[in-house]
Each structure stands twice: as C-alpha cells, then as structure tokens.
Amino acid sequence: MHDTASGNVHARHAFIPQPIHAGGLRYHGMAPLVCQGIVEGLLEPRAVQQLKCYESALVWARTEGTICAPETSHAIAATIDEAIKAREEGKEKVILMSYSGHGLMDCRVMMHICPAKLKDYELPDEEL
C-alpha cells in the first residue's frame, strides 16, 4: 500500500497485534463508511478497556437474561456509560445500541478464563 500523502510505503501485513482478548475482534481497522461517518462528525470512536467490557457483559446477563457475544460487550459498556452520563446531566436521551449476537459459544471463556486471566492493555502509540 502506498500512502500518497506522505510518500511512505506500508506493508498491510506488517502489523501484528498483541495476543489480547480484544472482545473476539481480530480486524484492526474500520470500514470506509464508518471512517466517513467520523470525518463528517456523525460518529465518535471510543475505546473501552477489556475489564470494563467483561463487567458490562455480566451486568447485561444479570439484568436482561441473555449472554452477549464478546464483541457486543464493547457496545454495552459504551451504552451504560451514555446512560449514566445522561442521568448525571439530568437529560432524557434516546440511546441506540446494536446488539450483534449471542455469546453461547463463549460461555466457558467468559465465566472461567476471563475473570482470572483478563487484563486491560493499551497498545502503545509507537507500535501503531
């Protein structure tokens, strides 16, 4: 891939992410439509630490009675944050969340492996 703005040449396969949970996600990029939404100011990207995602998935399971997919836990965590923010500001808001799937295949990992081994990790800027 050639970056015409800077003249740099990048190998698409050069980035190897750390072996972290990452909510099951292994695609480290964004779709063009999402990127354009950010450029237009329609979307605001947000990173949520893994432990918070895990805790949010447990809150969801206890209150809603369903087990979410690890990927969905990121959306749940951000939604909970938005609801708390709206309550603290005294604002009534409509908050839309995409629930992308169940976590039935992830039960063993979520209940037994994650609590003991899951740690927050932030990729250092120099690795990006």
Side-chain angles (χ1 to χ4, degrees):
M1 179 170 86
H2 188 266
D3 180 351
T4 55
S6 66
N8 294 330
V9 177
H10 305 281
R12 288 179 187 238
H13 63 279
F15 176 72
I16 300 172
Q18 294 294 321
I20 60 172
H21 174 63
L25 303 174
R26 286 293 168 241
Y27 174 66
H28 297 275
M30 290 193 299
L33 187 58
V34 172
C35 291
Q36 191 59 39
I38 293 167
V39 168
E40 300 284 336
L42 302 171
L43 306 170
E44 182 182 324
R46 179 183 308 183
V48 182
Q49 291 289 344
Q50 297 183 118
L51 292 175
K52 185 173 188 171
C53 291
Y54 176 76
E55 291 162 5
S56 297
L58 291 178
V59 167
W60 182 270
R62 290 180 183 127
T63 58
E64 299 299 323
T66 58
I67 299 168
C68 71
E71 297 86 351
T72 307
S73 70
H74 295 259
I76 293 170
T79 301
I80 291 170
D81 285 348
E82 287 299 314
I84 290 169
K85 179 181 170 187
R87 181 181 63 206
E88 289 172 350
E89 293 174 348
K91 294 181 179 177
E92 187 172 318
K93 291 185 177 183
V94 174
I95 303 169
L96 178 65
M97 179 190 86
S98 176
Y99 187 96
S100 60
H102 66 76
L104 298 179
M105 302 297 288
D106 304 296
C107 285
R108 186 174 135 341
V109 171
M110 295 289 283
M111 299 310 291
H112 300 291
I113 296 172
C114 282
K117 296 186 178 182
L118 192 62
K119 292 179 176 52
D120 285 336
Y121 177 82
E122 193 164 325
L123 187 67
D125 286 338
E126 57 272 5
E127 286 189 38
L128 293 173

